[in-house]
Amino acid sequence: MKCNVENYELMHFARKDEERQLNLVTIVILSRGKCGLSKCVTRYLVAMAAADLLVVIIDLILRQIPITFHSLFVFVLEIKVSHIHAVLLYAATDCSVWFTVTFTFDRFVAICCQRLKTKYCTEKTAAVVLATVTVLFFFTENGPLSLSSNFQSLFLLILTVNLIAIVILSRGKCGLSTCTIRYLVAMAAADRLVIITEVVLTRINYYYFPISFLEITPVCRVIAVLTRAAIDCSVWFTVTFSFDRFVAICCMKLKTKYCTGKTAAVVLATTCILLCLKDVPFYLTFEPVEIIDNLPWFCNLKTSYFTEPGWVSFNWIDTILNPLLPFTLILLLNALTVRHILVSSRVRKGLRSQSKGDNRNDTEMESRRKSVILLFAISGSFILLWLTTVADFLYYNIAGTSPRDYNDSLFTLQQVGYMLQNLSSCTNTFIYAVTQSKFREQFKSAVKYHVTLITKLINYNNN
């Protein structure tokens, strides 16, 4: 058995070595500049290949081999040397990821921004961008921040894109009604609060900054309440938007009265206030884990929350309100909307086939199609990403088990559900970009403006 393990490890290292050699050959071929690619593209591809080569070398030579052959490489496992290896590995991995991002952005400018192409897509600009990214990551990869830089960078990017979406939608130049814009802005703002409270203040803080002022009991109680309120608002704003689109498509008589900007503002404000009031009792469900110098630290759910009838009832009401009832309502509203669309489409096709205007475009159906695509994209994303959490809830209630008694597989499933639930707060902006052409135009304009500004600053510094 031991021999088989050693043979497998040797085969693994041999495969890694082959990858390293192939990567090195790729760098040499691209560097010669005879592949028919522009100098700008060549710079990015060489940088990406070099970063990938560094990852393979550092991961194979400085981590895998010393761990496997411990007796031969004891010095590599010393704390200071090991820390240097970790920093180099994280920096190389980050550069590999972000070189891909910069290359993707370069191709976006080259294809979609013809006026900016001649200024940005040059060998000199590529060198400046790549050097800046390299310096930033190699000089910031130290301490606990290095362990979560990819994670934090991703959510920093999502927060930035989310803010841009809010600004673009608020300007009202996306060809959407005032009513729809109100709902989309509210959903984007709620999603932003979920990312800040649940991901940044709770998840990242728990894993990478376990001892901070955020762990003081009153503070983490407030964060818990804000997190619950943000998640509830994000979910129920999706429900209200789905209901608004259902009324707009299926209830023509009610459409003029309900589908207005004023009604949307009243519905959103009322929903937000009621959900915040519902979540206030969560502040009382936590107790401190320990008291240090008369200061309570950390938050732990009280045992009475699971035993006292009042708290048990509150927990059931909370679970019904999120996610069971929203999940059911969105499925029901979408099913009714689809049914109405199919019936009305058949009727309209029958009427148009009998009229002389059979060859003309149906502008009403085209407008309705865009609205339906946006509705189904948002609600469908919500259903898919919350499905694991709902399945987990149904399982431990039907099976009569407690999440605290989960085995490794069920615990992994639960954590995947939480991850997908948080991901649902990051998808709407990308849905807007995919389904709404005018939103894409506004987003391109915003990107062009910032790229032009950055390019001017780079040229100014070079001069």
Side-chain angles (χ1 to χ4, degrees), residues 217 220-221 224 280-289 296 298-312 314-315 402 404:
T217 302
C220 66
R221 281 177 173 174
V280 168
F282 275 107
Y283 187 88
L284 305 175
T285 62
F286 295 96
E287 61 183 2
V289 177
F298 309 108
C299 288
N300 191 31
L301 276 173
K302 297 178 180 179
T303 55
S304 59
Y305 182 75
F306 302 97
T307 57
E308 291 187 3
W311 285 121
V312 171
F314 174 78
N315 182 41
S402 172
R404 296 185 176 185

Side-chain angles (χ1 to χ4, degrees), residues 90 94 141 143-154 204 207-209:
Y90 284 120
D94 287 345
E141 293 295 338
L145 286 175
S146 64
L147 300 175
S148 59
S149 56
N150 278 331
F151 193 57
Q152 295 179 49
S153 300
L154 174 62
I204 292 180
Y207 286 111
Y208 304 113
F209 306 98

